[in-house]
Amino acid sequence: MRPRTKKHLEERIARCNHIHITDPCSMKGHWRIDGRPLHLEIGCGKGAFICGMAAKHPETDFVAVEIVRNVIVMAMEKAVAAELTNVRFISCDARKLEEIFEPGELSGIFLNFSDPWPKTRQHKRRLTYPSFLKIYENIMGGAGKGEIHQKTDNRDLFDASLEYYRESGWSLRNVTFDLHGDSIETDSAVTEYEQRFMDMGQPIYRAEAFK
């Protein structure tokens, strides 16, 4: 069942129009400001992670993708409330990213708690599937440019993702099957899902992939 539209949704989105890019294709080649690094989160949810990263790294610019309007409005409101000036939001299908970013325009990509698409016929929709990895490689400028940081609570997706990376020629580092139990040091902000799983004592799987 499709979720009900939030009350006053359009008015709330309009109040965030200074950080909501409604025509992202028109920004292709013009996202970076003064040569600053640009990082992308695909599927930002309610915005805890991207707003946390933007606050921790004012020297870096961020773009967050979220296709569900009921959800992206909460992320944008969080950014506005925190008076963040280095994060922007767009709604798009991840398969269209090459229409939005030029090769080499992005420095890094975050994939946090993405849909695991568990059925075999759905695997090609996983955001770490080889066809998506090719898109990411292109928009980060090819071999030696950029990296992917992935976090998930789904072991099947994580195991498959590690294979997708290897099959597609990506190298791996800082791979952990219990991020907080292993006390891996990262500067990564915590997502809403991550905090929930931490409170439940459920392990978080994390990896960094680079060409």
Side-chain angles (χ1 to χ4, degrees), residues 112-129 150-161 164 193 197 205:
N112 294 316
F113 302 91
S114 308
D115 195 321
W117 297 110
K119 297 179 181 179
T120 300
R121 68 176 183 273
Q122 298 174 327
H123 286 182
K124 64 183 179 182
R125 302 179 70 175
R126 290 173 167 174
L127 291 178
T128 52
Y129 199 72
Q150 179 188 10
K151 288 193 286 189
T152 181
D153 65 302
N154 189 288
R155 180 62 185 268
D156 289 340
L157 173 62
F158 191 64
D159 289 342
S161 296
Y164 297 152
Y193 279 117
F197 295 134
Y205 312 112

mmCIF file of all heavy atoms in Angstrom, residues 112-129 150-161 164 193 197 205:
data_model
loop_
_atom_site.group_PDB
_atom_site.id
_atom_site.type_symbol
_atom_site.label_atom_id
_atom_site.label_comp_id
_atom_site.label_asym_id
_atom_site.label_seq_id
_atom_site.Cartn_x
_atom_site.Cartn_y
_atom_site.Cartn_z
ATOM 1 N N ASN A 112 24.035 3.320 2.337
ATOM 2 C CA ASN A 112 23.699 2.978 3.713
ATOM 3 C C ASN A 112 22.367 2.254 3.797
ATOM 4 O O ASN A 112 21.329 2.813 3.452
ATOM 5 C CB ASN A 112 23.643 4.250 4.572
ATOM 6 C CG ASN A 112 24.991 4.920 4.705
ATOM 7 O OD1 ASN A 112 26.005 4.254 4.933
ATOM 8 N ND2 ASN A 112 25.026 6.235 4.559
ATOM 9 N N PHE A 113 22.408 1.002 4.232
ATOM 10 C CA PHE A 113 21.208 0.223 4.500
ATOM 11 C C PHE A 113 20.263 0.220 3.302
ATOM 12 O O PHE A 113 19.058 0.463 3.431
ATOM 13 C CB PHE A 113 20.532 0.719 5.782
ATOM 14 C CG PHE A 113 21.470 0.630 6.966
ATOM 15 C CD1 PHE A 113 22.276 1.703 7.305
ATOM 16 C CD2 PHE A 113 21.577 -0.546 7.677
ATOM 17 C CE1 PHE A 113 23.180 1.613 8.359
ATOM 18 C CE2 PHE A 113 22.475 -0.649 8.739
ATOM 19 C CZ PHE A 113 23.270 0.425 9.077
ATOM 20 N N SER A 114 20.848 -0.063 2.146
ATOM 21 C CA SER A 114 20.072 -0.112 0.907
ATOM 22 C C SER A 114 19.137 -1.321 0.909
ATOM 23 O O SER A 114 19.368 -2.314 1.612
ATOM 24 C CB SER A 114 21.025 -0.218 -0.293
ATOM 25 O OG SER A 114 22.008 0.786 -0.256
ATOM 26 N N ASP A 115 18.100 -1.241 0.108
ATOM 27 C CA ASP A 115 17.157 -2.349 -0.043
ATOM 28 C C ASP A 115 17.919 -3.588 -0.503
ATOM 29 O O ASP A 115 18.639 -3.544 -1.506
ATOM 30 C CB ASP A 115 16.093 -1.977 -1.081
ATOM 31 C CG ASP A 115 14.894 -2.906 -1.042
ATOM 32 O OD1 ASP A 115 15.090 -4.132 -0.852
ATOM 33 O OD2 ASP A 115 13.767 -2.427 -1.209
ATOM 34 N N PRO A 116 17.787 -4.728 0.201
ATOM 35 C CA PRO A 116 18.552 -5.929 -0.179
ATOM 36 C C PRO A 116 18.007 -6.674 -1.400
ATOM 37 O O PRO A 116 18.716 -7.515 -1.955
ATOM 38 C CB PRO A 116 18.455 -6.818 1.070
ATOM 39 C CG PRO A 116 17.170 -6.410 1.721
ATOM 40 C CD PRO A 116 17.046 -4.921 1.470
ATOM 41 N N TRP A 117 16.793 -6.372 -1.823
ATOM 42 C CA TRP A 117 16.200 -7.058 -2.968
ATOM 43 C C TRP A 117 16.564 -8.550 -2.929
ATOM 44 O O TRP A 117 17.366 -9.030 -3.725
ATOM 45 C CB TRP A 117 16.662 -6.424 -4.278
ATOM 46 C CG TRP A 117 16.232 -5.006 -4.454
ATOM 47 C CD1 TRP A 117 17.032 -3.892 -4.419
ATOM 48 C CD2 TRP A 117 14.893 -4.519 -4.677
ATOM 49 N NE1 TRP A 117 16.283 -2.749 -4.598
ATOM 50 C CE2 TRP A 117 14.967 -3.097 -4.760
ATOM 51 C CE3 TRP A 117 13.650 -5.149 -4.813
ATOM 52 C CZ2 TRP A 117 13.847 -2.308 -4.972
ATOM 53 C CZ3 TRP A 117 12.530 -4.349 -5.013
ATOM 54 C CH2 TRP A 117 12.636 -2.946 -5.096
ATOM 55 N N PRO A 118 15.969 -9.302 -2.007
ATOM 56 C CA PRO A 118 16.421 -10.671 -1.730
ATOM 57 C C PRO A 118 16.131 -11.727 -2.806
ATOM 58 O O PRO A 118 16.865 -12.709 -2.914
ATOM 59 C CB PRO A 118 15.691 -11.014 -0.436
ATOM 60 C CG PRO A 118 14.452 -10.153 -0.460
ATOM 61 C CD PRO A 118 14.882 -8.875 -1.115
ATOM 62 N N LYS A 119 15.080 -11.521 -3.591
ATOM 63 C CA LYS A 119 14.744 -12.535 -4.591
ATOM 64 C C LYS A 119 15.729 -12.488 -5.755
ATOM 65 O O LYS A 119 16.170 -11.421 -6.160
ATOM 66 C CB LYS A 119 13.313 -12.325 -5.090
ATOM 67 C CG LYS A 119 12.264 -12.489 -3.999
ATOM 68 C CD LYS A 119 10.856 -12.258 -4.532
ATOM 69 C CE LYS A 119 9.827 -12.407 -3.416
ATOM 70 N NZ LYS A 119 8.441 -12.154 -3.889
ATOM 71 N N THR A 120 16.044 -13.668 -6.293
ATOM 72 C CA THR A 120 17.047 -13.764 -7.354
ATOM 73 C C THR A 120 16.713 -12.842 -8.519
ATOM 74 O O THR A 120 17.597 -12.168 -9.063
ATOM 75 C CB THR A 120 17.166 -15.215 -7.854
ATOM 76 O OG1 THR A 120 17.548 -16.057 -6.748
ATOM 77 C CG2 THR A 120 18.208 -15.327 -8.948
ATOM 78 N N ARG A 121 15.456 -12.790 -8.908
ATOM 79 C CA ARG A 121 15.079 -11.962 -10.050
ATOM 80 C C ARG A 121 15.214 -10.472 -9.756
ATOM 81 O O ARG A 121 15.161 -9.645 -10.671
ATOM 82 C CB ARG A 121 13.645 -12.286 -10.483
ATOM 83 C CG ARG A 121 12.567 -11.885 -9.503
ATOM 84 C CD ARG A 121 11.184 -12.146 -10.065
ATOM 85 N NE ARG A 121 10.121 -11.699 -9.182
ATOM 86 C CZ ARG A 121 9.594 -12.426 -8.202
ATOM 87 N NH1 ARG A 121 10.056 -13.661 -7.991
ATOM 88 N NH2 ARG A 121 8.617 -11.954 -7.449
ATOM 89 N N GLN A 122 15.393 -10.120 -8.472
ATOM 90 C CA GLN A 122 15.513 -8.719 -8.078
ATOM 91 C C GLN A 122 16.960 -8.267 -7.917
ATOM 92 O O GLN A 122 17.221 -7.076 -7.745
ATOM 93 C CB GLN A 122 14.796 -8.482 -6.742
ATOM 94 C CG GLN A 122 13.304 -8.759 -6.750
ATOM 95 C CD GLN A 122 12.699 -8.635 -5.369
ATOM 96 O OE1 GLN A 122 13.352 -8.947 -4.362
ATOM 97 N NE2 GLN A 122 11.464 -8.153 -5.294
ATOM 98 N N HIS A 123 17.911 -9.191 -7.969
ATOM 99 C CA HIS A 123 19.291 -8.857 -7.629
ATOM 100 C C HIS A 123 19.860 -7.721 -8.473
ATOM 101 O O HIS A 123 20.672 -6.929 -7.987
ATOM 102 C CB HIS A 123 20.179 -10.100 -7.760
ATOM 103 C CG HIS A 123 19.978 -11.072 -6.651
ATOM 104 N ND1 HIS A 123 20.700 -12.239 -6.533
ATOM 105 C CD2 HIS A 123 19.111 -11.063 -5.596
ATOM 106 C CE1 HIS A 123 20.292 -12.906 -5.457
ATOM 107 N NE2 HIS A 123 19.326 -12.214 -4.878
ATOM 108 N N LYS A 124 19.443 -7.622 -9.714
ATOM 109 C CA LYS A 124 19.979 -6.565 -10.580
ATOM 110 C C LYS A 124 19.550 -5.172 -10.123
ATOM 111 O O LYS A 124 20.084 -4.173 -10.605
ATOM 112 C CB LYS A 124 19.549 -6.793 -12.020
ATOM 113 C CG LYS A 124 18.051 -6.718 -12.256
ATOM 114 C CD LYS A 124 17.716 -7.031 -13.715
ATOM 115 C CE LYS A 124 16.209 -6.987 -13.956
ATOM 116 N NZ LYS A 124 15.883 -7.331 -15.372
ATOM 117 N N ARG A 125 18.612 -5.108 -9.157
ATOM 118 C CA ARG A 125 18.174 -3.816 -8.623
ATOM 119 C C ARG A 125 18.995 -3.394 -7.398
ATOM 120 O O ARG A 125 18.851 -2.279 -6.917
ATOM 121 C CB ARG A 125 16.689 -3.882 -8.258
ATOM 122 C CG ARG A 125 15.801 -4.259 -9.431
ATOM 123 C CD ARG A 125 14.342 -4.357 -9.064
ATOM 124 N NE ARG A 125 13.752 -3.063 -8.770
ATOM 125 C CZ ARG A 125 12.457 -2.874 -8.509
ATOM 126 N NH1 ARG A 125 11.629 -3.911 -8.514
ATOM 127 N NH2 ARG A 125 11.993 -1.675 -8.258
ATOM 128 N N ARG A 126 19.854 -4.284 -6.925
ATOM 129 C CA ARG A 126 20.703 -3.947 -5.788
ATOM 130 C C ARG A 126 21.670 -2.831 -6.180
ATOM 131 O O ARG A 126 22.241 -2.849 -7.264
ATOM 132 C CB ARG A 126 21.495 -5.175 -5.341
ATOM 133 C CG ARG A 126 20.642 -6.241 -4.681
ATOM 134 C CD ARG A 126 21.445 -7.505 -4.424
ATOM 135 N NE ARG A 126 20.731 -8.403 -3.516
ATOM 136 C CZ ARG A 126 21.156 -9.636 -3.204
ATOM 137 N NH1 ARG A 126 22.290 -10.097 -3.733
ATOM 138 N NH2 ARG A 126 20.459 -10.386 -2.384
ATOM 139 N N LEU A 127 21.894 -1.899 -5.284
ATOM 140 C CA LEU A 127 22.729 -0.740 -5.597
ATOM 141 C C LEU A 127 24.217 -1.073 -5.684
ATOM 142 O O LEU A 127 25.015 -0.219 -6.074
ATOM 143 C CB LEU A 127 22.507 0.361 -4.567
ATOM 144 C CG LEU A 127 21.132 1.037 -4.615
ATOM 145 C CD1 LEU A 127 21.006 2.088 -3.510
ATOM 146 C CD2 LEU A 127 20.876 1.683 -5.979
ATOM 147 N N THR A 128 24.579 -2.318 -5.342
ATOM 148 C CA THR A 128 25.966 -2.754 -5.516
ATOM 149 C C THR A 128 26.109 -3.730 -6.676
ATOM 150 O O THR A 128 27.205 -4.270 -6.888
ATOM 151 C CB THR A 128 26.486 -3.432 -4.233
ATOM 152 O OG1 THR A 128 25.560 -4.452 -3.832
ATOM 153 C CG2 THR A 128 26.650 -2.422 -3.107
ATOM 154 N N TYR A 129 25.058 -3.947 -7.419
ATOM 155 C CA TYR A 129 25.112 -4.866 -8.563
ATOM 156 C C TYR A 129 26.106 -4.305 -9.593
ATOM 157 O O TYR A 129 26.284 -3.086 -9.697
ATOM 158 C CB TYR A 129 23.713 -5.008 -9.170
ATOM 159 C CG TYR A 129 23.541 -6.224 -10.031
ATOM 160 C CD1 TYR A 129 23.486 -7.497 -9.467
ATOM 161 C CD2 TYR A 129 23.428 -6.112 -11.422
ATOM 162 C CE1 TYR A 129 23.315 -8.623 -10.259
ATOM 163 C CE2 TYR A 129 23.275 -7.236 -12.218
ATOM 164 C CZ TYR A 129 23.216 -8.486 -11.625
ATOM 165 O OH TYR A 129 23.068 -9.609 -12.417
ATOM 166 N N GLN A 150 30.042 1.392 2.140
ATOM 167 C CA GLN A 150 28.761 0.696 2.283
ATOM 168 C C GLN A 150 28.562 0.229 3.716
ATOM 169 O O GLN A 150 29.475 -0.302 4.349
ATOM 170 C CB GLN A 150 28.708 -0.520 1.351
ATOM 171 C CG GLN A 150 27.406 -1.313 1.468
ATOM 172 C CD GLN A 150 27.439 -2.615 0.681
ATOM 173 O OE1 GLN A 150 28.498 -3.029 0.200
ATOM 174 N NE2 GLN A 150 26.300 -3.257 0.546
ATOM 175 N N LYS A 151 27.338 0.420 4.225
ATOM 176 C CA LYS A 151 26.931 -0.142 5.511
ATOM 177 C C LYS A 151 25.580 -0.824 5.320
ATOM 178 O O LYS A 151 24.710 -0.310 4.619
ATOM 179 C CB LYS A 151 26.806 0.950 6.588
ATOM 180 C CG LYS A 151 28.125 1.508 7.061
ATOM 181 C CD LYS A 151 27.990 2.352 8.325
ATOM 182 C CE LYS A 151 27.386 3.696 8.081
ATOM 183 N NZ LYS A 151 27.464 4.592 9.268
ATOM 184 N N THR A 152 25.413 -1.973 5.970
ATOM 185 C CA THR A 152 24.141 -2.692 5.879
ATOM 186 C C THR A 152 23.983 -3.600 7.094
ATOM 187 O O THR A 152 24.970 -3.977 7.736
ATOM 188 C CB THR A 152 24.066 -3.530 4.589
ATOM 189 O OG1 THR A 152 22.802 -4.208 4.525
ATOM 190 C CG2 THR A 152 25.178 -4.571 4.512
ATOM 191 N N ASP A 153 22.739 -3.962 7.373
ATOM 192 C CA ASP A 153 22.459 -4.945 8.412
ATOM 193 C C ASP A 153 22.155 -6.305 7.806
ATOM 194 O O ASP A 153 21.936 -7.271 8.536
ATOM 195 C CB ASP A 153 21.251 -4.502 9.234
ATOM 196 C CG ASP A 153 19.982 -4.470 8.374
ATOM 197 O OD1 ASP A 153 19.981 -3.743 7.348
ATOM 198 O OD2 ASP A 153 19.015 -5.185 8.698
ATOM 199 N N ASN A 154 22.166 -6.397 6.463
ATOM 200 C CA ASN A 154 21.745 -7.621 5.773
ATOM 201 C C ASN A 154 22.969 -8.416 5.329
ATOM 202 O O ASN A 154 23.685 -8.006 4.413
ATOM 203 C CB ASN A 154 20.867 -7.249 4.575
ATOM 204 C CG ASN A 154 20.223 -8.463 3.935
ATOM 205 O OD1 ASN A 154 20.891 -9.247 3.281
ATOM 206 N ND2 ASN A 154 18.916 -8.611 4.126
ATOM 207 N N ARG A 155 23.190 -9.570 5.958
ATOM 208 C CA ARG A 155 24.388 -10.363 5.668
ATOM 209 C C ARG A 155 24.393 -10.898 4.235
ATOM 210 O O ARG A 155 25.440 -10.921 3.574
ATOM 211 C CB ARG A 155 24.499 -11.527 6.664
ATOM 212 C CG ARG A 155 25.701 -12.425 6.465
ATOM 213 C CD ARG A 155 27.010 -11.686 6.649
ATOM 214 N NE ARG A 155 28.154 -12.542 6.340
ATOM 215 C CZ ARG A 155 28.812 -13.278 7.240
ATOM 216 N NH1 ARG A 155 28.433 -13.262 8.523
ATOM 217 N NH2 ARG A 155 29.836 -14.013 6.902
ATOM 218 N N ASP A 156 23.253 -11.335 3.745
ATOM 219 C CA ASP A 156 23.199 -11.856 2.372
ATOM 220 C C ASP A 156 23.587 -10.775 1.362
ATOM 221 O O ASP A 156 24.356 -11.023 0.434
ATOM 222 C CB ASP A 156 21.801 -12.393 2.051
ATOM 223 C CG ASP A 156 21.491 -13.693 2.782
ATOM 224 O OD1 ASP A 156 22.444 -14.368 3.212
ATOM 225 O OD2 ASP A 156 20.303 -14.020 2.924
ATOM 226 N N LEU A 157 23.046 -9.575 1.552
ATOM 227 C CA LEU A 157 23.395 -8.478 0.656
ATOM 228 C C LEU A 157 24.881 -8.149 0.772
ATOM 229 O O LEU A 157 25.552 -7.906 -0.238
ATOM 230 C CB LEU A 157 22.564 -7.237 0.992
ATOM 231 C CG LEU A 157 22.960 -5.958 0.239
ATOM 232 C CD1 LEU A 157 22.776 -6.121 -1.265
ATOM 233 C CD2 LEU A 157 22.163 -4.760 0.748
ATOM 234 N N PHE A 158 25.397 -8.153 1.979
ATOM 235 C CA PHE A 158 26.805 -7.800 2.180
ATOM 236 C C PHE A 158 27.726 -8.813 1.511
ATOM 237 O O PHE A 158 28.659 -8.434 0.802
ATOM 238 C CB PHE A 158 27.108 -7.720 3.674
ATOM 239 C CG PHE A 158 28.450 -7.110 3.986
ATOM 240 C CD1 PHE A 158 28.716 -5.796 3.658
ATOM 241 C CD2 PHE A 158 29.442 -7.863 4.612
ATOM 242 C CE1 PHE A 158 29.960 -5.220 3.952
ATOM 243 C CE2 PHE A 158 30.673 -7.298 4.903
ATOM 244 C CZ PHE A 158 30.933 -5.984 4.574
ATOM 245 N N ASP A 159 27.456 -10.097 1.737
ATOM 246 C CA ASP A 159 28.281 -11.135 1.111
ATOM 247 C C ASP A 159 28.243 -11.016 -0.410
ATOM 248 O O ASP A 159 29.277 -11.127 -1.081
ATOM 249 C CB ASP A 159 27.804 -12.525 1.533
ATOM 250 C CG ASP A 159 28.128 -12.840 2.982
ATOM 251 O OD1 ASP A 159 29.001 -12.150 3.559
ATOM 252 O OD2 ASP A 159 27.516 -13.767 3.540
ATOM 253 N N ALA A 160 27.041 -10.815 -0.951
ATOM 254 C CA ALA A 160 26.906 -10.669 -2.402
ATOM 255 C C ALA A 160 27.637 -9.428 -2.889
ATOM 256 O O ALA A 160 28.301 -9.465 -3.938
ATOM 257 C CB ALA A 160 25.431 -10.606 -2.792
ATOM 258 N N SER A 161 27.553 -8.341 -2.129
ATOM 259 C CA SER A 161 28.201 -7.093 -2.529
ATOM 260 C C SER A 161 29.708 -7.256 -2.599
ATOM 261 O O SER A 161 30.362 -6.745 -3.524
ATOM 262 C CB SER A 161 27.838 -5.972 -1.551
ATOM 263 O OG SER A 161 26.453 -5.693 -1.584
ATOM 264 N N TYR A 164 30.356 -8.822 -5.809
ATOM 265 C CA TYR A 164 30.135 -7.886 -6.919
ATOM 266 C C TYR A 164 31.349 -6.962 -7.080
ATOM 267 O O TYR A 164 31.796 -6.698 -8.201
ATOM 268 C CB TYR A 164 28.892 -7.026 -6.675
ATOM 269 C CG TYR A 164 27.578 -7.756 -6.584
ATOM 270 C CD1 TYR A 164 26.523 -7.233 -5.826
ATOM 271 C CD2 TYR A 164 27.361 -8.961 -7.259
ATOM 272 C CE1 TYR A 164 25.298 -7.876 -5.740
ATOM 273 C CE2 TYR A 164 26.140 -9.614 -7.168
ATOM 274 C CZ TYR A 164 25.109 -9.076 -6.402
ATOM 275 O OH TYR A 164 23.903 -9.710 -6.322
ATOM 276 N N TYR A 193 18.634 3.934 10.861
ATOM 277 C CA TYR A 193 18.584 2.468 10.922
ATOM 278 C C TYR A 193 19.723 1.928 11.765
ATOM 279 O O TYR A 193 19.562 1.007 12.569
ATOM 280 C CB TYR A 193 18.669 1.873 9.518
ATOM 281 C CG TYR A 193 17.368 1.861 8.764
ATOM 282 C CD1 TYR A 193 17.223 2.581 7.581
ATOM 283 C CD2 TYR A 193 16.279 1.109 9.209
ATOM 284 C CE1 TYR A 193 16.036 2.578 6.876
ATOM 285 C CE2 TYR A 193 15.078 1.094 8.506
ATOM 286 C CZ TYR A 193 14.970 1.824 7.329
ATOM 287 O OH TYR A 193 13.788 1.813 6.636
ATOM 288 N N PHE A 197 19.600 -0.568 15.050
ATOM 289 C CA PHE A 197 20.234 -1.881 15.121
ATOM 290 C C PHE A 197 21.279 -1.937 16.236
ATOM 291 O O PHE A 197 21.455 -2.971 16.881
ATOM 292 C CB PHE A 197 20.868 -2.234 13.776
ATOM 293 C CG PHE A 197 19.860 -2.394 12.666
ATOM 294 C CD1 PHE A 197 20.066 -1.804 11.424
ATOM 295 C CD2 PHE A 197 18.706 -3.132 12.853
ATOM 296 C CE1 PHE A 197 19.145 -1.941 10.404
ATOM 297 C CE2 PHE A 197 17.766 -3.278 11.839
ATOM 298 C CZ PHE A 197 17.988 -2.685 10.612
ATOM 299 N N TYR A 205 27.416 -4.452 9.061
ATOM 300 C CA TYR A 205 28.463 -4.849 8.136
ATOM 301 C C TYR A 205 28.906 -3.617 7.340
ATOM 302 O O TYR A 205 28.071 -2.829 6.897
ATOM 303 C CB TYR A 205 27.949 -5.940 7.183
ATOM 304 C CG TYR A 205 27.231 -7.055 7.913
ATOM 305 C CD1 TYR A 205 25.842 -7.239 7.744
ATOM 306 C CD2 TYR A 205 27.897 -7.887 8.776
ATOM 307 C CE1 TYR A 205 25.175 -8.248 8.426
ATOM 308 C CE2 TYR A 205 27.244 -8.905 9.464
ATOM 309 C CZ TYR A 205 25.884 -9.077 9.286
ATOM 310 O OH TYR A 205 25.207 -10.063 9.956
#
